[in-house]
Amino acid sequence: MNRRWMGFGLCALLCAASGCASSTKSANSAGDSLNVSKVVMYQSGVGYVERVGEVKGSSLTLNIRTDQINDILKSLTVIDRSKGRPVSMTLPVDRQTLDALSQIPEQITNGGLLALLRAFRGANVTIKSRGKTVTGRIVGVERMTVAPQNRDRSAEPREDWRVTVLDRNDALHPIELSKIKSVNLHDKNLSSGLAKSLDISLNEGDWKKVSLTIQLEGDRNREVALSYIVAMPTWKPAYRLILSDDGRSVLQGWAVITNVTGSDWDNISFSLVSGQPMSFTYDLYTPHFLIRPDLSGQAQQVAVAPRIQTSGFGSAAGGSAREVQARAASRPAAPAAMAKQSADMRMMESAVYADEYYDADNWAYAESEMAAPMMDSRRASISDAELLGSFESMATANQVGSFDEYRLASGLTVPDGSTSLVNLIHYELPAVEARLFDRTGSLETQSYQTVQLQNSSGVSLEPGPITIYRGSTFVGEGYLSRTAAGATAYVTFANESRVSVRRDASSFDENYRVVRVNGGRMTYAFEQVSRHNFDVTNNTNTPATVLVRVPRSGSMPVELPESVVIGESEYTLPIAVDANATTSKSFDFRVRRESTVSMRSDGAVEALERGLKENTIPAGNVEHVRRFVELYRANATVTEELKLNNALKKDLDADQRNISQSLADIKSINTSSAAKLREQLIDRQRANERKLVDLTGKLAELQVRQSEITVELRTLEREIRFDIQ
């Protein structure tokens, strides 16, 4: 059976079983009478919708958009408040429309005459073109090159298409596509299907509505409540921050929402939820057909030939079978919860003076030559009090689970397909201005004018654009990232090139401590210190606060200011610098590490010495450890002496070779000066020989001493064993 017809039969059977029709409404149907009563919008692209109303009769029909069908099927809850229950739910399928689609290829609705002629290959048509009319069957369409009709050699051939038609006399007629005036289809099914496909193209899209019929138990009046989840645009927050000189600024926020539920909202209960609970789409409406394996090739293709028999005394037969089993598993998903607490609102009042203007570069008010024009237009300007008073929060915030919920205090009315702005928050928050450097180069000359905003509102702030005012003057705009309650956000809104930072970093290890010793190996802990140095130069006429960032890298800060902000991957550190001045500041970061090395190493011995000094070595090992340290230091001295004496011996040996070569060179020279030089070289040679004798003896003594120390160190390595918890 064709799969499309199978789908039609199943849908028709469903309608018949529930006592409904796909295109007609029963006498008891209530129509689309359940108005939207509540909507909750989430940031994950879904919305929760409730409908409540009175139903007269045994069925309820809702007009819903096609793109909402699958979400409603997987989330619909029907409550009959007369203690009844829903019996069935039916979604009609337009059989004729789908049948028409099955006959007309998709490219017809997306193409023109060329696509139609290609799709209708083999159809009976009458084509009228310039100069002739041909009736017959379409053979095909092909590309062609048309030569210029005039004799102008500069004219180039053009590309065209031609359709070939086979008439009743078996004659082929090529017709240029550009010359065709009309095409008449003689097949009624094709023309009807084309009309249907065009109707579908006219009405296609998610805004086309279908009827959802819910069959209820009994024929009576009742109150019915429905709830379901449907796809919705995410609500988009926007903010306005009004800065003040005392660091206590006002943050106002609103949400941009769009009603795409398919129904008007008339004085409904409305909430917005921050965070993103998990959501997904799943096609429950379209019939799913499993692809079955084709085993036709496994059928016997050749008849079995008779087997030639031989004589014998007996025979035996045996066989075996194989079974294959399949299993499937599913994993349920847990729903997410929602979230908040409320904060106080504060109104700020200030005045605009005619003889002052705001200098956004210096964060100060200055005398202005434009005083007279500003005085003339003062009454038309917006004052600080008006800017603050124009906004009133319409929502109360509550914490539900891990999410924040903004619930409107009064009903909301938004027509279907419309966008609305809803005032959400009006909080007084700590906010200070600074210059932020967020790169890691050695010399940084580009910073950003930044607002450091502490979210003391008690609610999480969703990401969105933020417009910044100083009093009633616009000074810039930025983007507020998602900021949890109690967190600190940074909003950059302008470039700043008059403040520069030079930085460098170094690292070193200190505070070695013994952890354990065993078998000549020692594990010791130490602190790896990273030091970050900053030289900040302020070329403005006002003091500034500079914010620099240092990667965390698992290290802990040492003696940082209280206003440090710890991010996921960095520390943000403030540095105050006076006007037209340079300030230097260093920050140390420590991380504890462990290392296992041989006991005969500088780091190990330093840790042992620290343990002896701080009395952390176990009592039974103190003397052995002290002796080991003494021997290690003595061995280091002996090693150094050996190194120096060996170098001296090497130099003396080289000098002796040079003297011997010089004596050989002047051996045949019989002059007084040569004789004198020969005597000097011989004296020097004898002195070197005496030094070499003494040096050889000293080296031997040092080597013996080093050997003795090495033996005793090895013995102590075997004896020293402890573990410091």
Side-chain angles (χ1 to χ4, degrees):
M1 180 184 292
N2 184 279
R3 290 181 181 174
R4 294 183 182 272
W5 286 100
M6 184 181 295
F8 301 153
L10 291 174
C11 293
L13 181 61
L14 177 60
C15 289
S18 60
C20 68
S22 62
S23 59
T24 61
K25 189 185 300 181
S26 71
N28 294 329
S29 179
D32 195 3
S33 61
L34 297 188
N35 296 324
V36 176
S37 59
K38 180 180 180 179
V39 172
V40 181
M41 293 185 69
Y42 296 83
Q43 290 274 346
S44 56
V46 296
Y48 170 80
V49 179
E50 286 186 4
R51 291 170 174 254
V52 178
E54 184 178 354
V55 175
K56 297 179 180 180
S58 60
S59 66
L60 165 67
T61 300
L62 297 176
N63 293 322
I64 61 175
R65 286 171 28 204
T66 56
D67 67 320
Q68 297 176 336
I69 292 176
N70 288 307
D71 283 321
I72 291 178
L73 285 177
K74 68 182 173 69
S75 63
L76 179 64
T77 299
V78 181
I79 299 176
D80 184 347
R81 290 179 172 169
S82 67
K83 298 184 179 180
R85 61 184 180 87
V87 177
S88 64
M89 180 180 67
T90 303
L91 284 170
V93 177
D94 188 343
R95 173 176 172 178
Q96 294 181 352
T97 299
L98 294 179
D99 190 29
L101 279 177
S102 69
Q103 296 183 30
I104 306 300
E106 180 181 357
Q107 63 265 28
I108 291 179
T109 60
N110 299 325
L113 180 59
L114 178 62
L116 284 170
L117 293 174
R118 281 178 164 177
F120 290 155
R121 183 173 182 269
N124 286 302
V125 297
T126 296
I127 299 179
K128 292 183 180 181
S129 64
R130 299 174 190 172
K132 66 177 179 180
T133 300
V134 179
T135 299
R137 303 184 69 183
I138 298 175
V139 176
V141 182
E142 60 184 342
R143 188 188 295 272
M144 62 178 292
T145 302
V146 181
Q149 295 182 356
N150 54 32
R151 297 182 179 180
D152 185 4
R153 296 183 178 180
S154 63
E156 296 182 356
R158 61 182 177 87
E159 296 293 326
D160 199 354
W161 295 83
R162 67 183 171 199
V163 57
T164 302
V165 179
L166 177 68
D167 65 12
R168 296 179 180 179
N169 297 322
D170 296 332
L172 295 173
H173 300 269
I175 305 171
E176 293 183 25
L177 186 67
S178 60
K179 296 181 179 180
I180 294 177
K181 294 183 178 180
S182 65
V183 177
N184 183 25
L185 297 175
H186 297 308
D187 190 328
K188 296 298 181 182
N189 289 330
L190 288 180
S191 59
S192 175
L194 178 59
K196 287 289 186 182
S197 67
L198 294 176
D199 291 340
I200 293 170
S201 297
L202 178 64
N203 296 313
E204 70 181 0
D206 292 339
W207 293 97
K208 183 179 179 181
K209 294 184 179 181
V210 296
S211 297
L212 170 66
T213 301
I214 301 172
Q215 199 70 21
L216 303 172
E217 186 179 47
D219 186 3
R220 59 180 179 274
N221 296 345
R222 75 203 70 204
E223 185 180 57
V224 175
L226 301 180
S227 67
Y228 50 85
I229 301 294
V230 291
M232 283 190 184
T234 59
W235 61 275
K236 300 176 288 293
Y239 303 94
R240 176 167 59 200
L241 179 64
I242 305 171
L243 297 170
S244 65
D245 293 329
D246 60 1
R248 300 295 299 180
S249 302
V250 172
L251 179 68
Q252 299 170 340
W254 55 91
V256 180
I257 62 172
T258 302
N259 177 10
V260 294
T261 58
S263 301
D264 294 337
W265 298 348
D266 186 9
N267 198 32
I268 66 168
S269 172
F270 185 79
S271 299
L272 296 173
V273 176
S274 66
Q276 295 190 349
M278 294 182 182
S279 182
F280 58 91
T281 60
Y282 193 87
D283 190 356
L284 292 171
Y285 181 51
T286 305
H288 292 184
F289 295 91
L290 295 178
I291 299 177
R292 297 182 296 164
D294 185 358
L295 299 182
S296 301
Q298 303 296 323
Q300 187 168 305
Q301 303 295 323
V302 180
V304 179
R307 189 173 182 180
I308 300 175
Q309 302 292 332
T310 59
S311 60
F313 295 99
S315 65
S320 62
R322 181 179 299 173
E323 298 181 354
V324 179
Q325 298 180 344
R327 294 179 298 179
S330 62
R331 185 178 182 179
M338 307 185 305
K340 150 159 192 321
Q341 90 188 6
S342 60
D344 296 334
M345 180 180 73
R346 171 181 173 265
M347 300 295 294
M348 297 172 55
E349 296 183 359
S350 60
V352 177
Y353 297 96
D355 58 345
E356 293 181 344
Y357 76 99
Y358 180 68
D359 182 356
D361 290 331
N362 292 320
W363 297 106
Y365 286 91
E367 296 294 330
S368 172
E369 297 178 358
M370 302 174 59
M374 289 185 65
M375 182 179 295
D376 294 338
S377 61
R378 179 177 62 180
R379 303 185 70 177
S381 300
I382 298 176
S383 67
D384 297 356
E386 288 174 328
L387 185 63
L388 289 167
S390 65
F391 191 96
E392 181 179 358
S393 177
M394 298 173 55
T396 58
N398 303 283
Q399 188 171 10
V400 182
S402 59
F403 295 160
D404 294 329
E405 178 188 28
Y406 301 95
R407 183 175 302 171
L408 266 62
S410 58
L412 178 67
T413 298
V414 180
D416 184 32
S418 301
T419 297
S420 178
L421 277 73
V422 178
N423 295 353
L424 292 183
I425 60 174
H426 188 116
Y427 294 127
E428 180 186 276
L429 302 174
V432 296
E433 302 144 18
R435 272 66 169 175
L436 174 65
F437 291 84
D438 60 357
R439 294 171 299 279
T440 58
S442 59
L443 177 61
E444 304 176 45
T445 59
Q446 179 65 57
S447 65
Y448 300 96
Q449 288 181 266
T450 305
V451 172
Q452 178 178 292
L453 184 148
Q454 183 179 353
N455 182 13
S456 60
S457 66
V459 297
S460 295
L461 301 177
E462 290 295 315
I466 180 169
T467 306
I468 300 172
Y469 290 84
R470 193 69 147 93
S472 59
T473 303
F474 166 78
V475 296
E477 59 183 358
Y479 188 82
L480 179 68
S481 59
R482 190 177 195 280
T483 307
T488 298
Y490 297 95
V491 181
T492 59
F493 60 90
N495 289 326
E496 172 62 86
S497 59
R498 296 170 300 174
V499 180
S500 63
V501 168
R502 183 178 295 276
R503 69 171 76 199
D504 65 75
S506 59
S507 62
F508 53 90
D509 300 337
E510 63 182 17
N511 295 335
Y512 294 89
R513 296 178 182 275
V514 180
V515 176
R516 70 185 62 86
V517 176
N518 188 4
R521 306 284 293 176
M522 187 184 76
T523 299
Y524 66 95
F526 62 96
E527 290 182 345
Q528 189 177 68
V529 182
S530 298
R531 177 165 293 167
H532 298 263
N533 304 307
F534 297 93
D535 296 323
V536 182
T537 301
N538 179 15
N539 293 318
T540 67
N541 295 325
T542 56
T545 298
V546 171
L547 301 174
V548 295
R549 286 178 169 169
V550 176
R552 290 182 61 177
S553 303
S555 58
M556 296 297 294
V558 179
E559 297 181 358
L560 289 181
E562 294 182 359
S563 53
V564 62
V565 175
I566 303 176
E568 293 183 0
S569 59
E570 77 283 328
Y571 296 99
T572 301
L573 307 165
I575 301 176
V577 56
D578 293 334
N580 297 308
T582 297
T583 297
S584 298
K585 189 74 173 178
S586 295
F587 300 98
D588 286 350
F589 296 83
R590 299 177 183 270
V591 58
R592 185 181 182 275
R593 301 191 183 280
E594 287 189 359
S595 180
T596 300
V597 295
S598 169
M599 287 182 64
R600 279 184 280 173
S601 62
D602 291 342
V605 172
E606 185 177 339
L608 290 172
E609 288 175 333
R610 186 183 183 92
L612 291 171
K613 183 178 180 180
E614 297 179 353
N615 296 322
T616 58
I617 304 297
N621 289 270
V622 170
E623 292 303 324
H624 288 335
V625 169
R626 182 175 288 110
R627 179 58 178 168
F628 181 87
V629 170
E630 291 175 356
L631 288 173
Y632 180 85
R633 296 303 184 192
N635 186 63
T637 302
V638 171
T639 301
E640 185 64 24
E641 290 183 7
L642 279 170
K643 181 179 179 181
L644 293 175
N645 286 293
N646 278 319
L648 180 58
K649 183 177 181 298
K650 183 177 180 181
D651 293 340
L652 290 173
D653 288 337
D655 191 39
Q656 289 293 77
R657 288 192 296 270
N658 293 334
I659 293 173
S660 297
Q661 183 63 43
S662 298
L663 289 173
D665 292 340
I666 64 175
K667 181 178 180 180
S668 59
I669 301 175
N670 296 320
T671 62
S672 60
S673 59
K676 185 177 181 180
L677 178 60
R678 189 180 298 109
E679 291 177 1
Q680 292 176 350
L681 290 174
I682 292 173
D683 290 341
R684 195 169 127 198
Q685 189 179 46
R686 291 171 178 169
N688 285 344
E689 288 176 353
R690 290 192 296 272
K691 291 180 181 179
L692 284 171
V693 171
D694 294 339
L695 190 58
T696 302
K698 189 173 184 178
L699 284 172
E701 292 177 359
L702 290 173
Q703 289 172 351
V704 171
R705 176 59 179 157
Q706 187 179 55
S707 178
E708 293 173 349
I709 292 175
T710 301
V711 171
E712 191 172 356
L713 283 174
R714 289 177 178 174
T715 302
L716 289 172
E717 283 178 345
R718 291 193 296 269
E719 294 177 352
I720 298 175
R721 295 175 182 270
F722 60 85
D723 193 343
I724 300 176
Q725 300 297 328

